[in-house]
Amino acid sequence: MASGHASALSIISWEGYLSAMFGNTLIAVNVQLVGILNNFLILTQVALAGFMPLAIFLLAAAFTAISTGMSLTRVHKLSGTSQGQDEKFGTWQMWQLGSGLVGIAVVPQVLYNTVAPAASSLLPFFCTFLVLGGILIGVK
């Protein structure tokens, strides 16, 4: 990138790095923070070179910041440690539920992008997310 050969970054699968980074953010503790930072730096270079859509990069950056903050807060026992008797789900439980749904819904999206990399559609993600949300509401 610094030497002006941004095209070398075109062989990097940003979907794979994004999935790995999201996985690390969901379990962000000590060592995973190194993986999160490493993946984020690589994705930043790929996005700056124009091989990753800017909107997805910005959403990924926001999600990474929020999830890392939530995980670190939980590790330091600042969130979700006390829960009222009438409160069914605390902040941490809701975060786990939401991030788990997104994590599962991303899997078909990554598989879709692997099979059809030229097609630009978030349909697999949204369909899976809606089905999982419907199942969750039905179970509740």
Side-chain angles (χ1 to χ4, degrees):
M1 192 71 181
S3 64
H5 299 292
S7 61
L9 293 172
S10 67
I11 63 168
I12 293 177
S13 167
W14 63 265
E15 292 97 346
Y17 273 92
L18 190 63
S19 299
M21 185 175 69
F22 284 170
N24 281 336
T25 57
L26 295 177
I27 56 170
V29 221
N30 302 329
V31 175
Q32 278 78 16
L33 291 176
V34 174
I36 293 168
L37 180 61
N38 179 47
N39 287 347
F40 187 73
L41 291 175
I42 290 171
L43 287 173
T44 301
Q45 291 178 357
V46 172
L48 288 175
F51 298 110
M52 179 181 183
L54 183 61
I56 292 176
F57 174 74
L58 293 175
L59 287 172
F63 177 80
T64 301
I66 292 167
S67 62
T68 302
M70 286 292 292
S71 295
L72 290 175
T73 301
R74 176 67 175 172
V75 167
H76 294 315
K77 298 187 189 302
L78 296 175
S79 171
T81 55
S82 61
Q83 185 173 317
Q85 294 290 356
D86 58 341
E87 186 180 359
K88 186 170 184 176
F89 288 110
T91 306
W92 180 251
Q93 289 83 5
M94 290 303 290
W95 173 251
Q96 284 182 314
L97 181 63
S99 60
L101 282 175
V102 169
I104 292 171
V106 164
V107 172
Q109 183 67 47
V110 171
L111 293 174
Y112 175 78
N113 286 354
T114 302
V115 174
S120 180
S121 171
L122 291 175
L123 189 62
F125 170 79
F126 288 120
C127 288
T128 307
F129 189 77
L130 289 174
V131 167
L132 290 173
I135 291 171
L136 183 66
I137 289 171
V139 169
K140 181 185 169 194

